[in-house]
Amino acid sequence: MTSTAQSFVPQTHDLDQLAEAARTCQGCDLYRDAEQTVFGEGAAHAAMMLVGEQPGDQEDRRGRPFVGPAGNLLDKALAAAEVDRERLYVTNTVKHFKFTRPSGTRRIHKTPSRTEVVACRPWLFAEITSVKPEVVVLMGATAAQALMGNGFRLTAHRGEELHLPTEPDLGVDPSVVTTAHPSAILRRPAEERAKNFDALVADLRFAAGLLSG
Ligand code: URA
Ligand code: SF4
């Protein structure tokens, strides 16, 4: 049987209890080599939820999402879009850092497999059900495909207000906006970075504009 996080996810909408339970998740093999689970964090009933891919090296060390280079870029984009990070809930599709160590020293990010994404997804579903955000921003193909379907093409839906598939029924129906991943922007050639950053800011501003309050 394919393993999944499902049996580790408690029946609760309490984010602290979910985060506590996630610390001992063994729903896939990624817990073995990572330092710790990096669960989502932020305002308990945040109107906006941001979803990345998986923790990076620094997130794995510190146990918090988006606190490394990608987090710095995200913070700058949020500031430019006039979105207050304090009012968000920020999380990842996969809660453990997946990496290789080609040279035996520095840990290099490795994209999680579809199996790992699907295994970890019950945590993300639980976060959405608990936070009940009005808007979910999916950053990058991993997050977008995890929630919108494996065939979802990120570039085809920039600037659109989308909705989650009806299955599974999460009991909530947030607006969904997809955008580039901050790490992908950092990997662009220097001369393209400003344009990609501006597009991320525009997408965040668009998402904030969908909020009722
Ligand atoms: N990239 C992500 O997707 N998430 C993080 O938390 C850090 C980098
Ligand atoms: Fe559990 Fe997700 Fe970590 Fe796999 S990556 S062990 S499913 S929390």
Side-chain angles (χ1 to χ4, degrees), residues 98-194:
K98 182 177 184 181
F99 59 92
T100 53
R101 251 187 228 276
S103 59
T105 50
R106 211 158 74 83
R107 303 187 298 174
I108 307 293
H109 161 278
K110 195 155 184 258
T111 303
S113 69
R114 181 73 186 169
T115 307
E116 288 150 353
V117 166
V118 170
C120 204
R121 203 166 48 177
W123 291 116
L124 183 56
F125 288 154
E127 287 173 296
I128 293 172
T129 307
S130 303
V131 176
K132 300 181 176 63
E134 287 179 48
V135 179
V136 177
V137 181
L138 304 175
M139 301 186 294
T142 299
Q145 292 176 353
L147 289 182
M148 303 303 290
N150 210 7
F152 186 87
R153 283 185 55 241
L154 198 61
T155 45
H157 300 279
R158 294 291 289 261
E160 282 179 34
E161 180 183 0
L162 306 168
H163 284 271
L164 296 174
T166 48
E167 291 291 326
D169 181 9
L170 299 179
V172 290
D173 182 24
S175 297
V176 174
V177 174
T178 61
T179 189
H181 193 288
S183 299
I185 298 174
L186 289 173
R187 285 194 300 267
R188 306 300 299 173
E191 66 275 13
E192 284 178 31
R193 229 170 278 153

